[in-house]
């Protein structure tokens, strides 16, 4: 499954075989069955997760027990809880596999080592985070101003 991530990186940045070998050495492949959780609310998130195969859902559950989906992570997308990761706090979210899925996991300490060793990778991640912030703002605006049908079409 690392080959999926290798192709993803090759499409985005120039990275040497030695750098790819380093990334692979600090990566872990995890297979999730349908409905298995990658993250449970209350846990601290310490990883960076790339979806190689399948579909995951990030959601929260309110005090009435109602689930609120934040987003879906499809193949070749990243997922996780940046707030928990950056602030070392318990997560408010769950991440569940909606299909049998495969994710590539990199612990945050190793992610920072990759940043130091491969500046193009750091630039890629910063670009992804910026696009993610823009998309989150668009989703918030759509949630406030759109009809249910418009929200579905936007998705």
């Amino acid at each position: 499954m690392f080959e999926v991530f290798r192709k993803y990186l090759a499409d985005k940045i120039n990275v040497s075989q030695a750098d790819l070998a380093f990334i692979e050495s600090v990566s872990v492949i995890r297979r999730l069955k349908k409905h298995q959780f990658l993250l449970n609310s209350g846990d601290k998130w310490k990883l960076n997760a790339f979806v190689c195969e399948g579909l995951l859902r990030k959601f929260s559950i309110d005090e009435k027990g109602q689930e609120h989906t934040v987003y879906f992570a499809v193949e070749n997308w990243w997922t996780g809880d940046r707030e928990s990761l950056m602030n070392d706090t318990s997560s408010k979210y769950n991440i569940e596999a909606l299909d049998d899925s495969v994710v590539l996991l990199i612990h945050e300490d190793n992610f920072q080592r990759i940043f130091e060793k491969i500046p193009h990778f750091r630039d890629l991640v910063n670009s992804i985070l910026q696009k993610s912030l823009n998309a989150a703002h668009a989703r918030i605006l759509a949630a406030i101003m759109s009809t249910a049908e418009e929200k579905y079409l936007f998705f």
Side-chain angles (χ1 to χ4, degrees), residues 31-37 55 96-101:
R31 297 181 183 282
L32 300 167
K33 294 287 187 190
K34 184 176 182 176
H35 301 301
Q36 186 176 355
F37 283 74
L55 174 67
E96 173 189 25
L98 296 180
D99 290 323
D100 289 350
S101 301

Side-chain angles (χ1 to χ4, degrees), residues 9-142:
L9 288 178
D11 288 345
K12 307 278 187 203
I13 60 173
N14 291 325
V15 60
S16 71
Q17 291 301 317
D19 288 341
L20 286 169
F22 173 70
I23 294 170
E24 187 172 12
S25 75
V26 298
S27 300
V28 174
I29 299 295
R30 181 160 175 211
R31 297 181 183 282
L32 300 167
K33 294 287 187 190
K34 184 176 182 176
H35 301 301
Q36 186 176 355
F37 283 74
L38 178 63
L39 173 65
N40 291 293
S41 65
D43 293 346
K44 288 187 179 181
W45 181 253
K46 301 282 187 186
L47 304 167
N48 294 275
F50 177 81
V51 181
C52 297
E53 188 176 287
L55 174 67
L56 289 87
R57 172 177 75 121
K58 181 177 178 178
F59 68 99
S60 185
I61 302 173
D62 66 20
E63 61 281 348
K64 296 177 185 173
Q66 185 173 359
E67 296 181 357
H68 300 277
T69 299
V70 177
Y71 66 78
F72 296 96
V74 297
E75 294 173 5
N76 290 323
W77 280 30
W78 294 87
T79 190
D81 184 348
R82 298 289 305 167
E83 181 181 6
S84 175
L85 179 70
M86 295 176 66
N87 297 327
D88 193 34
T89 55
S90 298
S91 181
K92 301 171 197 148
Y93 301 102
N94 299 284
I95 300 175
E96 173 189 25
L98 296 180
D99 290 323
D100 289 350
S101 301
V102 180
V103 292
L104 178 137
L105 303 172
I106 305 172
H107 192 279
E108 180 61 14
D109 294 340
N110 289 324
F111 211 67
Q112 293 304 317
R113 290 175 54 209
I114 296 170
F115 277 6
E116 292 168 12
K117 186 171 175 52
I118 310 167
H120 291 307
F121 184 83
R122 180 185 58 238
D123 295 343
L124 171 64
V125 170
N126 286 337
S127 174
I128 291 166
L129 289 172
Q130 186 62 46
K131 288 176 185 175
S132 177
L133 178 62
N134 292 340
H137 288 164
R139 282 192 310 273
I140 290 167
L141 189 59

